[in-house]
């Protein structure tokens, strides 16, 4: 039931501005292309309904967390079960161990699991385990890879790309970080094998962990070169460091075995969050048994939380993972995704608008103004931002929703609820928008 005063988005926006910075509950909800947030009232399948009742086919999907689609019956049942159980939190239940077992069956590197509540908590914990295991502090990370909002990793994930040679000077992505945090990160360009090898020659024995998005969806969609990822694996191992795959976004996009299964390259630890519980809040760290056994109360690495293992997330995770691991679940979705990527690339070519779609699995990036393959953040950052904003505004007018997260490049995707017919419907509208872009509209 919408409060009568807020039937108009302008009224809600004005009200929210008085109490929420920028009228949003999280920075990522502001839509940079629209210059304000969109207000939605509900979601069903692949669609969101806005405050004024207009429906949008959604290509954001809770920043990727809604993998099965909104209001999915198995997720509803799971949350209802959690309600029936009395919303017990901070209690151990059978469901936690059952979900951990399911994760260990699906995710190749997972021998043991520790749950967390957000992706940022999971990457922070993985880094803490790595530092404890190695007795080292330095973290190797890659420009344009996003690992959450904690102090260890908030460097060079967004903003201007470094124009010079590697290594890349650590540049904080936020005010308020301790100056000393920058001394603990080493930043490299993605897919640059030479820079990687040189960095390990100089710093290899000081590196506690290398952390990466094996498919760098946060810069659109920049897959790792297989040779590069294999070298990262081999070098970390050779120098006694821990390899962390941040699969918060890449998990379950290419298949139930995540990006690590897609590449056949296993990290020591991985962080997983979005996509595992179809929008319910849950995250996890999984990996090598010896590393996971460092966690308290077994080992010296402290970690706990009142809401850790919350049954909303755990039960939704069990339900969602059962869907994702059903035989034959992925090929139809991958075909729908492919239809979208081919259709969009065809529309760009047909109307002579420079740009390209890079998609892998069920998430993708859209880069206006770029025609050659985007292989690293510097390539991606050269995109035509103004054209992107015009595209988003045109799509929103026509009932197709894309989220623009501030100055970040962002990523888009489909859910298991998107059908070929939905894609054709959206392509018709996007074609119209792209035709307008060609005509300078
Ligand atoms: C790869 C990656 N790591 C970590 C995070 C942080 O996750 P959360 O927003 O749940 O803290 C995100 C969120 O977008 C992400 O995409």
């Amino acid at each position: 039931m919408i409060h009568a005063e807020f039937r108009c988005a302008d009224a809600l926006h004005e009200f929210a501005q008085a109490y929420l910075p920028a009228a949003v509950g999280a920075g990522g909800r502001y839509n940079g292309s629209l210059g304000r947030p969109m207000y939605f009232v509900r979601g069903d399948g692949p669609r969101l309904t806005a405050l004024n009742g207009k429906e949008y086919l959604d290509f954001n999907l809770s920043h990727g967390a809604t993998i099965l689609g909104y209001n999915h019956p198995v997720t509803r049942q799971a949350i209802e079960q959690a309600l029936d159980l009395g919303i017990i939190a901070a209690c151990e239940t059978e469901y936690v161990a059952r979900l951990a077992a399911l994760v260990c069956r699906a995710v190749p590197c997972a021998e043991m699991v520790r749950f967390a509540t957000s992706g940022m908590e999971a990457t922070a914990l993985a880094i803490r385990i790595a530092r404890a295991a190695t007795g080292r502090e330095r973290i190797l990370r890659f420009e344009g890879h996003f690992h959450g909002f904690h102090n260890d990793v908030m460097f060079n994930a967004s903003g201007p790309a470094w124009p010079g040679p590697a290594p890349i000077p650590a540049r904080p992505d936020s005010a308020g970080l301790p100056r000393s945090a920058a001394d603990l990160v080493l930043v490299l360009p993605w897919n640059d094998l030479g820079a990687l090898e040189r960095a390990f020659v100089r710093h290899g024995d000081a590196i506690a962990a290398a952390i990466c998005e094996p498919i760098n969806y946060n810069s659109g969609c920049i897959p790792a070169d297989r040779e590069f990822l294999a070298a990262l694996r081999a070098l970390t191992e050779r120098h006694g460091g821990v390899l962390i795959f941040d699969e918060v976004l890449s998990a379950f996009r290419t298949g139930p075995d995540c990006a690590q299964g897609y590449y056949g390259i296993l990290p020591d630890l991985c962080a997983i969050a979005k996509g595992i519980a179809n929008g319910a809040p849950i995250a996890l760290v999984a990996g090598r048994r010896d590393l996971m056994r460092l966690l308290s109360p077994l080992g010296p690495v402290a970690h706990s939380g009142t809401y850790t293992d919350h049954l909303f997330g755990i039960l939704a995770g069990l339900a969602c993972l059962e869907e994702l691991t059903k035989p034959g679940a992925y090929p139809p979705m991958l075909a729908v995704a492919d239809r979208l990527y081919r259709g969009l690339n065809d529309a760009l070519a047909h109307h002579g608008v420079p740009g390209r779609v890079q998609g892998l699995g069920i998430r993708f990036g859209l880069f206006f103004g770029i025609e050659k393959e985007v292989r690293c953040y510097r390539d991606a950052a050269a995109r035509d931002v103004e054209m992107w904003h015009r595209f988003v505004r045109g799509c929103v007018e026509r009932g197709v929703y894309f989220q623009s997260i501030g100055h970040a490049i962002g990523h888009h995707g489909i859910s298991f609820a998107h059908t070929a017919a939905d894609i054709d419907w959206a392509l018709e509208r996007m074609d119209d928008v792209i035709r307008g872009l060609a005509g300078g509209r």
Side-chain angles (χ1 to χ4, degrees):
M1 176 74 172
I2 303 163
H3 195 291
E5 273 178 57
F6 299 143
R7 292 224 171 91
C8 161
D10 288 345
L12 178 51
H13 190 234
E14 199 181 316
F15 174 77
Q17 264 174 329
Y19 302 103
L20 299 168
V24 287
R29 310 235 178 97
Y30 179 83
N31 190 316
S33 300
L34 306 178
R36 58 184 281 173
M38 286 280 291
Y39 293 102
F40 294 107
V41 293
R42 64 168 293 124
D44 274 295
R47 290 190 173 70
L48 286 169
T49 305
L51 197 60
N52 63 2
K54 182 171 164 178
E55 280 198 348
Y56 292 85
L57 187 69
D58 185 20
F59 288 109
N60 178 46
L61 300 154
S62 318
H63 300 328
T66 303
I67 194 165
L68 297 177
Y70 297 107
N71 197 22
H72 195 282
V74 301
T75 313
R76 271 191 87 90
Q77 275 163 23
I79 301 291
E80 277 165 13
Q81 188 187 355
L83 293 176
D84 288 345
L85 294 175
I87 320 182
I88 48 174
C91 294
E92 215 47 39
T93 63
E94 68 175 88
Y95 308 106
V96 180
R98 276 175 44 197
L99 182 55
L102 216 53
V103 169
C104 290
R105 270 207 294 282
V107 180
C109 84
E111 293 177 345
M112 292 187 114
V113 178
R114 174 60 66 88
F115 291 102
T117 6
S118 68
M120 129 175 179
E121 185 191 340
T123 59
L125 180 59
I127 288 171
R128 183 179 290 175
I129 296 171
R131 284 183 169 147
T134 57
R136 305 170 183 171
E137 290 191 59
R138 206 106 191 251
I139 304 300
L140 167 61
R141 54 151 303 137
F142 296 91
E143 189 180 30
H145 291 220
F146 177 63
H147 304 297
F149 281 99
H150 59 90
N151 292 357
D152 285 337
V153 289
M154 279 226 72
F155 295 91
N156 307 72
S158 58
W162 170 245
I168 297 170
R171 178 183 39 74
D173 288 326
S174 170
L177 302 190
R179 223 168 277 131
S180 56
D183 299 337
L184 300 182
V185 290
L186 177 62
V187 186
L188 293 180
W190 189 229
N191 280 331
D192 184 338
L193 188 55
L196 182 71
E197 286 169 346
R198 286 192 297 278
F200 269 93
V201 169
R202 284 201 62 187
H203 307 285
D205 294 343
I207 291 172
I211 184 166
C212 69
E213 293 181 66
I215 303 167
N216 178 202
Y217 283 119
N218 275 288
S219 294
C221 168
I222 312 181
D225 287 346
R226 196 172 291 277
E227 190 193 5
F228 177 80
L229 202 60
L232 181 61
R233 170 64 285 180
L235 287 166
T236 331
E237 192 167 346
R238 190 175 315 149
H239 289 269
V242 173
L243 179 59
I244 303 170
F245 279 2
D246 178 352
E247 295 231 44
V248 165
L249 194 46
S250 59
F252 311 114
R253 304 299 163 183
T254 46
D257 54 356
C258 308
Q260 53 194 273
Y262 173 80
Y263 283 105
I265 295 172
L266 301 199
D268 302 300
L269 294 173
C270 71
I272 288 178
K274 303 177 197 212
I276 194 173
N278 198 31
I282 188 174
L284 62 90
V285 176
R288 266 171 40 197
R289 188 176 300 276
D290 60 319
L291 294 174
M292 297 301 293
R293 285 175 64 88
L294 292 174
L295 280 165
S296 64
L298 212 52
V301 179
H303 173 258
S304 190
T306 306
Y307 300 118
T308 309
D309 303 335
H310 197 287
L311 284 183
F312 285 165
I314 293 286
L315 289 168
L318 267 172
C320 183
L321 207 46
E322 270 164 21
E323 291 296 305
L324 297 177
T325 51
K326 277 185 180 157
Y330 275 83
M333 278 326 302
L334 297 174
V336 171
D338 203 46
R339 189 181 189 96
L340 172 65
Y341 309 153
R342 259 186 298 115
L344 260 174
N345 273 326
D346 287 352
L348 291 166
H350 179 74
H351 295 296
V353 171
R356 63 182 282 121
V357 173
Q358 285 188 191
L360 179 55
I362 58 173
R363 280 198 93 74
F364 65 98
L366 178 48
F367 306 98
F368 284 102
I370 301 178
E371 280 170 309
K372 70 175 185 25
E373 189 192 351
V374 173
R375 292 181 35 77
C376 65
Y377 184 68
R378 193 188 296 178
D379 293 349
R383 77 209 187 284
D384 184 333
V385 182
E386 260 322 297
M387 198 173 275
W388 163 250
H389 288 327
R390 278 158 56 206
F391 174 77
V392 173
R393 290 195 287 266
C395 286
V396 168
E397 272 172 31
R398 290 162 180 78
V400 176
Y401 190 69
F402 285 93
Q403 176 68 11
S404 279
I405 304 177
H407 59 312
I409 290 173
H411 48 88
H412 326 288
I414 62 163
S415 71
F416 279 58
H418 285 68
T419 63
D422 291 326
I423 298 305
D424 291 348
W425 182 90
L427 281 172
E428 234 176 78
R429 276 141 192 88
M430 291 192 274
D431 187 85
D432 196 34
V433 178
I434 291 168
R435 182 183 317 118
L437 295 178
R441 268 193 281 136

